Amino acid sequence: MIKKTVPYLAMIAAVGLFSSPASAGFYSGNELYKVCKTERDDPDYFEKTYECVGYIAGAVDAFNTTREANKLKSCIPGNVTISQLKNVTIDFLQANPVDRKNSASALVFTATRKAWPC
């Protein structure tokens, strides 16, 4: 029985070696837009809203950390709220549907840089 399964396991392992590469980002803009536009009557509304805000806040924190590491100040004013970051991102994604196939983090960066240029 074991001898019969070994060739199959080897084949499965080989297929794993030749799988397609992972995308550049965890989320695409389309995925983030869908999560952020979840309607209030959706049973997953609160979970999706937290997912949206958490993703955007995390992306912005990562950008700011990179800027800090390079001895640069954040381009986003200190009084900007997470809600404002979310609105700017959603507005950008809505206005640029062709770009939504790109990495969500890159699109969050582009949206915030457009709203608050350095």
Side-chain angles (χ1 to χ4, degrees):
M1 181 82 159
I2 292 175
K3 287 185 179 185
K4 289 182 179 181
T5 58
V6 171
Y8 294 111
L9 293 174
M11 183 176 69
I12 291 169
V15 169
L17 292 174
F18 298 108
S19 62
S20 62
S23 66
F26 185 68
Y27 270 171
S28 72
N30 282 318
E31 293 163 326
L32 182 61
Y33 184 71
K34 182 179 176 184
V35 167
C36 291
K37 291 296 284 184
T38 300
E39 296 291 331
R40 192 175 283 275
D41 62 347
D42 187 299
D44 296 327
Y45 172 76
F46 290 106
E47 179 182 337
K48 302 268 185 188
T49 298
Y50 292 135
E51 188 175 341
C52 169
V53 170
Y55 186 91
I56 293 168
V60 170
D61 278 349
F63 305 146
N64 286 338
T65 299
T66 301
R67 289 188 64 78
E68 257 180 44
N70 289 303
K71 310 254 188 278
L72 300 168
K73 288 185 171 185
S74 173
C75 300
I76 300 170
N79 63 345
V80 171
T81 66
I82 291 175
S83 181
Q84 288 172 299
L85 293 173
K86 177 186 172 196
N87 292 337
V88 161
T89 300
I90 291 171
D91 289 348
F92 180 82
L93 293 172
Q94 191 163 348
N96 298 281
V98 171
D99 295 329
R100 283 190 238 153
K101 67 185 179 307
N102 297 326
S103 163
S105 62
L107 295 170
V108 171
F109 177 75
T110 302
T112 57
R113 289 299 289 256
K114 189 173 181 178
W116 299 283
C118 288

